[in-house]
């Protein structure tokens, strides 16, 4: 089955720039759209649950899509029921999402819950769809530090993408402006989380000092007042290349990067 | 080291000679002792040494060794007190990632958090799948070890593992589930379990205290504070690991059979990834070359021997030795490598900006005054070609040695 | 017999020329509409030609004189030939006049031929090498044919053989000069050039004026395709302008991207637009190709896309992205063609419609949208560089004499040194100044030149709104790019300000004796003219005067002033980063090293960054503000307080 006949829906959300907090297309969602566009081309459908007036959504259309569906919801609503209702009827074979939202809770639960509700398998960290034959897809899953694992999964399935997926193409102003946001009314289910939880500006977390197993007060004192490491590196001057290489090798093995 | 105590006549001479600059440092470094009332007494004058400019310096890092300190072999490992929970009133279940079959530091942090939550009443249960190589569950704080084995759980089998964990949930009804929110498996397993159990988890938690937990929300610009739910996916460094007690690691068994499922996701195994093709932003170990690299063939050899991803400075790219997508720096790629090895890169400010997130920086350079050396944790001054050559040989040797050990 | 053949030939050629002219005119008119002063332009055309254009041509004395003789002779000869031979008005005086004209033209044509013997690489060959022969043929044929009219030779001299030879000569001459003029021969430049001067898209450039700001794109129509996709998307007078090209290659000779081996040749680009206008391939182009791109593989037509991102069309996208918008080509062009406008128009389409800004372009534009600075830094950190300087803020002062426009250099550690130096100068001179602080945004320069007109206009409108809240007399900036955009491009969006580059302002301060300056110590100094200060805004003297005031005698580079070579940092070129054979800043550093100077004074953060990116050893690079701050004598002598009177900006 050629990849470009796949029926793919990408779920998108409104992101926030990490520095300014300004609304934008979410990085991972945009990568999911990119992956979808590479697989299905213009047949890709994209879906959002939220406010159809949100301008930042147009950035997804600017990637070369004529329209997107928006399930109209107020911001504090739970997107899950609306999305699963829609997806159940949409006839998609592959649903792509980002790993976690850039705004709100960002628990990253949505793909898991959707998969559970739809009864579909979920591939986490999809990097590439290699082939689809007889309704079975062979895909590459991204592992940390650029590693990959090959998986086989039956259609239809859900996949989340992380930053290992291909970088999203540029969003162009013209198509973004011309694209259509098709709003659909859905029943609203309130999300109860924010009745008990509060969002607050992120507190910076200091880097943990080396854990000291001190047995005596003196040792603890010594540890507590120890110089932070890295205040100035070790410089090997006038050493033989072999001695230098030995020192480097020691650091590499200590860090465990030699595999 | 031998246990024979040897005299050091020179040190003794210095210790007698009160005018010798090293005299003070060779005095018996008895800086603290038990007083008559059982209080620790300290002599602040006895510590430190006279620095070259005549000022007294106190080096608390312990790097300065007093000459008269007794050379003795390391003391035998202190036996930590054993923490026993006979009848736990509740369970805290931790599912460690066990990367490479061992507890990772993230796992240990979680066990530390679990022990904090368990207090003296609860028991910390670690659920471990498949074979493992860990021998220090006791000092990491595991009261109970639930070892689930079977072919179905080997490799990447998240669906089967979730079934096992829901069986655990039925049997123990733990007060809290603690799972590392990591990319090495925990994040996925925890969320799958949450979906399966219908529990709303708290994610990216970095602090749990007084029944409240705080975790990062959204893209990391905000924190979300809420009541600690049953299922907690905790970030690294969420708590200090256990350090001062030993635990029983009493094995427990699952009573019920774990339901078998037909795996819907079939694992076809890891794909060999050429380190050269790993996106630089993700690479763990980068060998980066700059203007000072004379022999690029050798540079590529070194990268291959080390299994490092190649990077380059802007100049090396401009001069056409490396492709543009390999440029490291503010105008190229911002890298996050654990070890960043800069060969012949003097360290323009844009380049240093780009490696800001790197853990350890190794510099090989001719010029001891360049900025890269100031940033580096380890610098070797000298001819890069000779050092790289020596390094290639050492690494090849090291790998062969490693292969022998494994055999 | 000649008396019958000549009029037929002349009028046939003229008729064909008129037909061709009509056809060519309709070709141009396929472009988008543009408002021109039809009659006024035509009336102003002779003056524009004889004065403004002549000034440019005059830089090359040889060519200027040659052209005066040839073109003058030809125009005269053509008019007289029509009267004498066409209408048969065999007047002796007219005959002698025609003889004189043809002699003049002949002499000019000889020099044209001489130039063509060993032509420099920038000149096109092919039909252009035929042109001097045609010129000679035209002049000689008409000279001989006119001899009888002037009574020097008997009327029946030479018989029918000579008549036949002459007829062939005249036929060749008039077909090149009349027919070829409107049907695409080399002489097309005269016809299209004259009309191009009449209906130029920047009429302000004539009569000593300056017009360098990019024209705003109308974003009001949501369904319009943005930018130029196909040749007919240019305005018709742009198309006319392309047709005016004489292929002299002056642009090619000064283009920094061409010299660096990047795939851009401004002359070829304009010729490609001509090919697009008429349809065809570039196989017959007789000049230097784009470096690295062979001829004959590209072609297009008026209604076909100029750039095909998936395959080949008229022009490769890399060609458009190689341009640093340094305007050296426009400055040199004797036909006053606007290359940069055309390139940005085509970039606009690639960015706004195709989302195809190469390399870091997309990221930079996203950053500009999300953080108001190209680096993606937290907007709240815009004033961190001045944390200890206690700078007065506009939001607190509300009105001031000088508004110091900091620019995005605020985020760059190198440029912060310049900014701090300039603040030191301002404080030493007791200038009443303030900064916008966090209310300032990127000026939009990079976004606009990368073709993202939408982001430019958003940024500009927000900046204009911020500026509108306050009262100030002038804006001073250390960044020529911001300076240019604020001064020349915000006007179209409703922001009109008096804007000064910091060198100009320091010159004023020095002239007003508000600064107590010592003398520069240290080695010799050269000065690099930033494109956006020099060519874009004509400010060549102020920086030199400031340097002079601190005792620096500038060792000028061969290419300085309006001929200054770009540092490679403009137009988003470092962002799009199209590979070439060498780097533009390296070439500029060679220019600098040739002077033997130990230090190069600059006046632009881009130039500083690009030149400092050259591998050492190289001369030091310092901004003028740094040089002035270095020799500032603190505790200023009795300085006059700046005029407190404030006007509404």
């Amino acid at each position: 089955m050629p990849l470009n006949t796949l029926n793919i829906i990408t779920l998108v959300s409104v992101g926030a720039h990490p520095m300014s907090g300004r609304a934008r297309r979410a990085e991972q969602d945009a990568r999911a759209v990119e992956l979808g566009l590479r697989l299905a081309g213009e047949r890709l459908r994209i879906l959002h649950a939220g406010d159809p007036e949100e301008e930042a959504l147009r950035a997804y259309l600017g990637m070369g899509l004529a329209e997107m569906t928006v399930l109209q919801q107020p911001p504090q609503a739970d997107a899950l029921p609306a999305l699963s209702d829609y997806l159940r009827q949409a006839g998609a074979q592959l649903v792509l999402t980002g790993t976690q939202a850039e705004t709100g809770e960002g628990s990253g639960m949505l793909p898991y819950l959707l998969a559970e509700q739809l009864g579909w398998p979920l591939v986490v960290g999809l990097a590439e769809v290699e082939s689809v034959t007889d309704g079975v897809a062979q895909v590459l899953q991204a592992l940390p530090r650029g590693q990959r694992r090959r998986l086989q999964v039956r259609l239809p399935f859900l996949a989340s993408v992380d930053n290992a997926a291909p970088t999203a193409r540029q969003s162009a102003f013209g198509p973004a402006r011309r694209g259509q946001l098709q709003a659909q009314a859905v029943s609203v289910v309130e999300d109860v989380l924010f009745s008990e939880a509060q969002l607050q500006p992120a507190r910076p977390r200091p880097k943990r000092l080396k854990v000291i197993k001190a047995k005596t007060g003196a040792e603890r004192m010594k540890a507590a007042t120890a110089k932070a490491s890295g205040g100035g590196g070790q410089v090997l001057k006038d050493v033989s290349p072999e001695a230098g290489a030995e020192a480097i090798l020691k650091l590499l093995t200590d860090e465990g990067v030699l595999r | 080291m031998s246990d024979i105590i040897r005299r050091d006549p020179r040190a003794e001479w210095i210790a007698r000679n009160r005018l010798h600059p090293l005299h003070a440092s060779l005095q018996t470094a008895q800086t603290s002792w038990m007083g008559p009332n059982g209080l620790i007494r300290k002599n602040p004058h006895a510590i430190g040494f006279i620095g070259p400019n005549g000022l007294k310096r106190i080096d608390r890092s312990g790097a300065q060794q007093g000459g008269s300190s007794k050379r003795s072999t390391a003391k035998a490992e202190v036996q930590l007190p054993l923490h026993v929970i006979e009848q736990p009133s509740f369970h805290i279940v931790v599912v460690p990632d066990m990367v490479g079959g061992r507890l990772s530091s993230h796992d240990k942090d979680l066990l530390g958090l679990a022990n904090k939550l368990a207090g003296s009443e609860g028991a910390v249960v670690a659920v471990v799948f498949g074979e493992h190589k860990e021998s220090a569950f006791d000092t990491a704080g595991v009261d109970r070890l639930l070892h689930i084995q079977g072919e179905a759980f080997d490799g990447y089998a998240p669906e089967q593992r979730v079934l096992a964990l829901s069986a655990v949930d039925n049997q123990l009804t733990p007060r809290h589930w603690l799972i590392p929110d990591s990319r090495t498996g925990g994040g996925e397993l925890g969320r799958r379990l949450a979906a399966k159990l219908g529990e709303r988890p708290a994610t990216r938690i970095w602090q749990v205290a007084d029944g409240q937990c705080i975790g990062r929300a959204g893209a990391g610009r905000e924190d979300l504070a809420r009541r600690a739910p049953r299922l907690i996916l905790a970030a690294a460094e969420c708590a200090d690991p256990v350090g001062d007690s030993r635990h029983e690691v009493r094995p427990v068994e699952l009573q019920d059979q774990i339901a078998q499922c037909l795996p819907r996701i079939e694992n076809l195994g890891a794909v060999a990834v050429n380190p050269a093709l790993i996106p630089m932003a993700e690479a763990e170990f980068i060998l980066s070359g700059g203007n000072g690299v004379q022999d690029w063939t050798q540079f590529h050899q070194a990268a291959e021997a080390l299994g490092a991803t190649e990077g380059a400075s802007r100049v090396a790219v401009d001069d056409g030795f490396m492709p543009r997508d390999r440029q490291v720096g503010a105008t190229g790629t911002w890298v996050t490598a654990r070890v960043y090895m800069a060969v012949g890169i003097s360290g323009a400010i844009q380049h240093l900006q780009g490696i800001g997130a790197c853990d350890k920086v190794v510099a090989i350079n001719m010029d001891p005054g360049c900025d890269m050396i100031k940033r580096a944790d380890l610098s070797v001054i000298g001819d890069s070609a000779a050092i790289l050559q020596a390094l290639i040989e050492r690494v090849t040797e090291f790998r062969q040695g490693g292969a022998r050990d494994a055999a | 017999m000649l008396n019958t053949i000549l009029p037929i030939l002349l009028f046939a050629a003229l008729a064909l020329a008129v037909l061709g002219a009509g056809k060519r005119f309709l070709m141009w008119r396929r472009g988008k509409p543009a408002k021109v002063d039809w009659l006024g332009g035509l009336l102003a055309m002779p003056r524009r030609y004889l004065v403004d254009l002549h000034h440019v041509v005059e830089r090359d004395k040889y060519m200027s004189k040659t052209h005066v003789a040839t073109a003058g002779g030809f125009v005269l000869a053509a008019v007289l030939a029509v009267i004498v031979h066409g209408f048969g008005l065999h007047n002796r005086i007219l005959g002698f006049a025609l003889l004189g004209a043809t002699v003049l033209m002949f002499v000019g044509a000889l020099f044209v031929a001489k130039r063509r013997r060993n032509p420099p690489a920038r000149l096109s060959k092919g039909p252009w090498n035929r042109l001097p022969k045609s010129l000679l043929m035209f002049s000689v044929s008409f000279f001989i044919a006119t001899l009888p009219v002037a009574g020097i030779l008997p009327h029946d001299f030479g018989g029918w053989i000579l008549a036949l030879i002459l007829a062939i000569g005249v036929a060749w001459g008039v077909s090149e000069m009349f027919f070829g003029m409107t049907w695409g021969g080399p002489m097309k430049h005269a016809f299209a050039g004259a009309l191009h001067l009449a209906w130029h898209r920047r009429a302000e450039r004539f009569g000593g004026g300056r017009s360098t700001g990019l024209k705003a794109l109308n974003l009001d129509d949501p369904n319009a395709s943005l930018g130029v996709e196909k040749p007919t998307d240019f305005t018709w007078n742009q198309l006319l302008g392309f047709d005016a090209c004489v292929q002299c290659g002056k642009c090619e000779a000064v283009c920094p991207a061409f010299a660096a081996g990047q795939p851009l040749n401004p002359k070829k680009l304009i010729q490609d637009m001509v090919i697009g206008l008429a349809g065809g391939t570039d196989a017959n182009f007789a000049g230097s190709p784009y470096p690295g791109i062979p001829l004959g593989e590209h072609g297009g037509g008026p209604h076909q896309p100029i750039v095909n991102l998936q395959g080949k069309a008229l022009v490769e996208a890399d060609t458009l992205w190689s341009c640093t918008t340094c305007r050296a080509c426009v400055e040199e062009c004797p036909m006053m063609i606007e290359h940069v406008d055309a390139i940005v128009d085509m970039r606009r389409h690639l960015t706004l419609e195709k989302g195809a800004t190469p390399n870091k372009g997309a990221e930079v534009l996203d950053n500009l949208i999300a953080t108001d600075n190209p680096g993606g830094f937290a907007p709240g950190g815009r004033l961190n560089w001045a944390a200890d300087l206690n700078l007065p803020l506009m939001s607190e002062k509300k009105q001031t004499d000088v508004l110091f426009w900091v620019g995005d250099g605020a985020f760059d550690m190198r440029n912060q040194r310049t900014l701090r130096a300039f603040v030191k100068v301002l404080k030493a001179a007791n200038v009443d100044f303030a900064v916008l602080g966090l209310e300032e945004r990127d000026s939009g320069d990079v976004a606009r030149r990368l073709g993202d007109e939408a982001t430019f206009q958003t940024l500009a409108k927000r900046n204009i709104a911020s500026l509108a809240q306050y009262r100030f007399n002038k804006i001073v900036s250390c960044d020529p790019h911001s300076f240019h955009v604020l001064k020349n491009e915000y006007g179209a969006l409703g922001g009109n300000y008096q804007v000064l580059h910091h060198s100009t302002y320091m010159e004023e301060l020095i002239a007003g004796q508000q600064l107590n300056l010592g003398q520069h110590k240290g080695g010799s100094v050269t000065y690099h003219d930033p494109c956006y200060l020099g060519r874009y805004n004509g400010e060549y003297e102020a920086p030199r005067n400031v340097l002079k005031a601190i005792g620096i005698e500038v060792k000028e580079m061969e290419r300085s002033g309006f001929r200054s070579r770009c540092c490679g940092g403009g137009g988003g070129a470092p962002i799009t980063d199209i590979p070439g054979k060498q780097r533009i800043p390296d070439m500029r550093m060679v220019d600098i090293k040739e002077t033997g100077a130990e230090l190069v004074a600059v006046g632009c953060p881009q130039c500083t960054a690009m030149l400092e990116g050259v591998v050492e050893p190289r001369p030091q690079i310092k901004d003028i503000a740094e040089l002035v701050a270095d020799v500032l004598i603190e505790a200023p002598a009795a300085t006059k307080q700046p005029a407190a009177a404030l006007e509404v900006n």
Side-chain angles (χ1 to χ4, degrees), chain B residues 204-244:
Chain B
R204 289 183 281 166
I205 295 303
W206 54 269
Q207 192 183 75
V208 183
D210 311 326
Q212 288 286 315
C213 62
I214 306 180
R216 288 276 190 258
R221 285 170 52 83
E222 284 172 317
D223 279 342
L224 189 66
R226 64 175 120 184
R227 215 171 42 76
R230 260 187 86 213
L231 187 50
I232 295 174
L233 302 184
E237 301 188 8
C238 54
D240 286 332
V242 172
D244 43 13

Side-chain angles (χ1 to χ4, degrees), chain B residues 330-347:
Chain B
T331 46
T333 308
W334 297 67
V335 296
T336 59
R338 270 241 300 285
V339 176
Y340 183 81
M341 204 158 137
V343 184
I345 299 178
S346 61

Side-chain angles (χ1 to χ4, degrees), chain B residues 347-370:
Chain B
I349 181 67
Q350 290 84 356
H351 194 87
L352 294 179
Q353 265 176 294
I355 62 170
C358 292
D359 234 14
K360 285 275 188 298
V361 175
V362 181
I364 301 179
N365 212 305
M366 287 295 269
D367 173 15
C370 70

Side-chain angles (χ1 to χ4, degrees), chain A residues 72-112:
Chain A
Q72 198 162 355
Q73 284 193 324
Q76 70 282 7
D78 189 354
L80 187 69
L83 289 176
S84 63
D85 287 350
Y86 182 93
L87 290 177
R88 215 166 271 141
Q89 288 147 26
Q93 291 164 299
L94 171 56
V95 173
L96 296 167
T97 77
T99 298
Q100 70 191 30
E102 291 180 0
T103 55
E105 186 187 9
S107 67
M109 280 302 292
L110 183 107
Y112 297 88

